[in-house]
Amino acid sequence: MGKITFFEEKKFQGRCYNCSSDCADLHTYFSSCNSIRVESGVWVIYERPNYKGFQYILSPGEYADSQQWMAFSENVKSCRAIKNDYGSAWKLRLYERPDFGGQMVECADDCPSVYDTYKLREAYSCVVSDGAWVFYDLPNYRGHQYLLERGEYRQHGDWGAVSPGVGSFRRITEFRVRRKHKVTMERTGKIFFYEDKNFKGHHYECSSDCPELSSHFQRCNSIRVESGPWVVYERPQYMGYQYVLMRGEYPSFQSWNGFNETIRSCRLIRHPPSTHKIRIYERPDFSGQMIEFSEDMPSLVDRWRHRDIQSAHVQDGIWIFYEHPNYRGRQYLLEKGEYRQHAEWGAMQPSVGSIRRVVDQP
C-alpha cells in the first residue's frame, strides 16, 4: 500500500490531506495543490477528476512546489497508486502507424530522444509486454507525461495523448522488489546546494530531478554531491550552461567550471553505464575523418589533428565534451545516440578541447 500527502501551499505548508488509496475526486479535500510528499509507492496524479487531464508520475520523495513534478498548474483533482510490482523486466514495442502498422522498434531501456535513437518522431500505437513506462512529448523527459502499463494501445489516444509525438520515454523502476524478504530500491542520488562559498549559508538538499530551483535558493556558490552523478543547469527546465558533477565537494562555482553563481535546475544521471564507446567526426552527418575511442581524452589535439568535432555517435555510455583541454570551459553532456551536428549537443561552435566519460562511483 502506498501513501501520498498533498499540501495546499509550497514547501509542505498549509492544509494537507493524506491519501493511501485511489481517489477519483480530490476537490473536497483541498482547493489547490502546491507541494506533495510521496512516502511510499508510485502514484499517478491527474489535473481533472476521474483520472483525466494532464497526468504526472511521482516516485517516493518530496516535491516542494508544483514545478518539481513539471506541472502546468496547481490543479490536482484525482490520483491513483500503481499497484502492480513489475519486477526487473521491461519490454516495449513502438509502431509508426495505428493498429501496430508500419515500422516497429523494440525497446528495453530508457530513451532520452526517440528520434536520435530510433529515427521516429511519432508513435501511433504500441505494445507494452513487460513493465510500466512513462511517455514524454518532448526529448530529455520533458513536457506532458503519459503512463503506459502492460497491454496494447492501438492508437495514441489510448494512452491519453492528443497527438502521436513521443520525444522520450522512461521505465518506472522505483517499485519495491521482494526476494526472500529483502527489499531493494533503485539507485538514488543526493546533492546539496549552498548559497555561499565553502558550504556556508542557506542550503537546499535535493534527491530527484528539479526543473526549477529558484524557489529554494537565490544563488549557488558551493555544492556537495553525496551520491550521483548529476547535471546542473544555469537556467530552468534544464537549459543554459550545463555542468556534470561527480561525487565530491565543490567549494566555489569556479571548482565546477561555472561562469557565475546561477544554478536553476538539476537532474540525476540514474544509470551510468559500465562500458563506453564514442565515434567523433570531422564534418557534419558523420562524414570526413573519424576516430573511435573508449577512454578519457584530456587533450583532443594530441590524438587527433582536428580542433573541431562536427558530429558524433555515442554507441555506449555517457560522455562530456569540454570546450578547452584538461576538462575546462563549457561542458556538453552526450548520452547514447546520434548527433548529426554540434548544435544537437547544445554547442554554439564545434570546438572541443577534451572529452571525458561519465562513470559510476561507489
Side-chain angles (χ1 to χ4, degrees), residues 74-87:
E74 59 185 28
N75 291 325
V76 174
K77 298 304 183 192
S78 55
C79 69
R80 69 183 181 91
I82 302 177
K83 299 177 176 64
N84 296 319
D85 187 337
Y86 292 104

Side-chain angles (χ1 to χ4, degrees), residues 82-204:
I82 302 177
K83 299 177 176 64
N84 296 319
D85 187 337
Y86 292 104
S88 57
W90 291 268
K91 186 182 291 185
L92 169 73
R93 290 179 178 173
L94 286 177
Y95 298 84
E96 68 172 344
R97 302 203 176 155
D99 295 316
F100 320 119
Q103 180 185 350
M104 182 275 289
V105 295
E106 188 171 274
C107 326
D109 206 346
D110 299 350
C111 179
S113 175
V114 174
Y115 180 74
D116 288 345
T117 305
Y118 301 109
K119 297 298 178 286
L120 287 178
R121 292 194 183 276
E122 298 177 327
Y124 279 87
S125 56
C126 75
V127 175
V128 177
S129 303
D130 289 295
W133 301 75
V134 187
F135 279 7
Y136 300 81
D137 60 7
L138 298 175
N140 296 315
Y141 316 119
R142 296 178 296 113
H144 298 143
Q145 305 172 36
Y146 306 98
L147 174 70
L148 286 84
E149 298 185 270
R150 190 180 293 120
E152 296 184 348
Y153 302 81
R154 292 187 169 272
Q155 55 184 338
H156 59 274
D158 291 346
W159 62 80
V162 176
S163 68
V166 178
S168 51
F169 55 79
R170 177 180 278 169
R171 301 164 300 153
I172 294 181
T173 58
E174 287 83 0
F175 294 104
R176 297 182 183 271
V177 181
R178 292 173 173 83
R179 292 191 183 95
K180 297 182 180 179
H181 308 291
K182 182 179 180 181
V183 179
T184 60
M185 291 292 287
E186 185 197 37
R187 177 183 178 275
T188 58
K190 185 178 287 188
I191 186 171
F192 297 84
F193 301 94
Y194 297 81
E195 287 200 335
D196 298 327
K197 293 181 178 180
N198 298 313
F199 320 110
K200 294 181 180 179
H202 172 72
H203 76 275
Y204 173 66

Side-chain angles (χ1 to χ4, degrees), residues 164-361:
V166 178
S168 51
F169 55 79
R170 177 180 278 169
R171 301 164 300 153
I172 294 181
T173 58
E174 287 83 0
F175 294 104
R176 297 182 183 271
V177 181
R178 292 173 173 83
R179 292 191 183 95
K180 297 182 180 179
H181 308 291
K182 182 179 180 181
V183 179
T184 60
M185 291 292 287
E186 185 197 37
R187 177 183 178 275
T188 58
K190 185 178 287 188
I191 186 171
F192 297 84
F193 301 94
Y194 297 81
E195 287 200 335
D196 298 327
K197 293 181 178 180
N198 298 313
F199 320 110
K200 294 181 180 179
H202 172 72
H203 76 275
Y204 173 66
E205 175 185 338
C206 184
S207 58
S208 62
D209 298 357
C210 184
E212 175 57 82
L213 289 166
S214 64
S215 61
H216 303 294
F217 50 84
Q218 297 303 310
R219 63 186 185 276
C220 179
N221 276 291
S222 55
I223 293 175
R224 179 180 288 117
V225 178
E226 186 172 303
S227 55
W230 292 78
V231 192
V232 300
Y233 299 83
E234 182 199 27
R235 294 169 54 195
Q237 304 296 332
Y238 318 117
M239 299 181 71
Y241 294 143
Q242 54 185 278
Y243 312 100
V244 182
L245 276 60
M246 310 296 183
R247 186 167 63 89
E249 295 187 342
Y250 303 82
S252 66
F253 68 78
Q254 291 91 345
S255 61
W256 65 77
N257 293 326
F259 292 94
N260 53 47
E261 58 185 24
T262 302
I263 297 294
R264 290 291 179 256
S265 55
C266 68
R267 69 181 180 92
L268 173 67
I269 301 175
R270 288 177 170 79
H271 306 285
S274 57
T275 59
H276 297 78
K277 185 186 293 185
I278 187 171
R279 291 179 177 177
I280 59 174
Y281 295 82
E282 173 193 8
R283 296 181 182 174
D285 295 316
F286 318 118
S287 61
Q289 185 179 353
M290 181 275 289
I291 184 174
E292 179 182 291
F293 54 95
S294 56
E295 296 293 335
D296 298 348
M297 187 179 295
S299 177
L300 182 62
V301 295
D302 291 346
R303 288 279 307 276
W304 204 33
R305 65 184 181 87
H306 301 285
R307 184 66 176 84
D308 295 344
I309 298 176
Q310 296 278 359
S311 54
H313 182 193
V314 178
Q315 297 179 309
D316 286 299
I318 302 172
W319 297 80
I320 313 166
F321 282 2
Y322 295 83
E323 185 182 19
H324 303 304
N326 298 313
Y327 316 121
R328 295 178 298 109
R330 293 184 175 91
Q331 304 173 36
Y332 305 98
L333 185 73
L334 285 81
E335 299 184 90
K336 191 172 182 179
E338 296 181 348
Y339 301 81
R340 293 186 170 274
Q341 54 183 334
H342 61 273
E344 293 185 2
W345 61 77
M348 298 291 291
Q349 300 178 2
S351 177
V352 177
S354 50
I355 302 173
R356 176 180 278 170
R357 299 163 298 157
V358 175
V359 296
D360 201 1
Q361 294 176 313

